[in-house]
Amino acid sequence: MNGLLARVWDSDVAYSFRTSPVAVGAALVAAVLMVSALFAEWVAPHNPFDLATINLLDASLPPAWQEGGNPKFLLGTDDQGRDVFSAIIFGMRISLVIGVASVVLSVIGG
């Protein structure tokens, strides 16, 4: 197994990947997004599915950097008072499951 890893590390594809800052940066961003989606309960500041934490008085708030925005809600809130940033993080989990399921089904079907 050690020989296989050494051969992969020394391959042309791995060298091209290692020397391309764009490829390395894209891989880092993808890794951060995947980790945040997998650990959404701990990463997201609010749980958009917890009805006890939703407050209708927080509905339709703008993002935190705009006038009237609340720093508690980085990207603002929707019309029901749910945090948009947290909803995006929890939504990434669903997108990952759909993507992995489609790849698995295509491998099985192919």
Side-chain angles (χ1 to χ4, degrees):
M1 186 69 171
N2 237 354
L4 176 65
L5 290 176
R7 278 193 0 228
V8 168
W9 185 253
D10 291 333
S11 70
D12 291 337
V13 174
Y15 176 79
S16 296
F17 179 79
R18 288 191 318 259
T19 57
S20 172
V22 174
V24 173
L28 289 175
V29 168
V32 167
L33 290 176
M34 282 192 277
V35 167
S36 65
L38 292 174
F39 299 107
E41 289 90 11
W42 297 285
V43 174
H46 305 281
N47 186 349
F49 301 118
D50 186 9
L51 298 178
T53 62
I54 295 175
N55 186 356
L56 288 176
L57 295 175
D58 291 331
S60 300
L61 289 175
W65 60 86
Q66 290 183 352
E67 184 177 336
N70 186 347
K72 186 171 138 182
F73 305 110
L74 183 64
L75 297 178
T77 59
D78 63 1
D79 57 348
Q80 295 180 358
R82 294 176 296 202
D83 182 33
V84 174
F85 180 66
S86 298
I88 289 172
I89 292 175
F90 274 88
M92 285 190 307
R93 173 184 288 174
I94 297 167
S95 297
L96 280 176
V97 168
I98 290 171
V100 167
S102 67
V103 168
V104 167
L105 286 175
S106 12
V107 166
I108 290 171

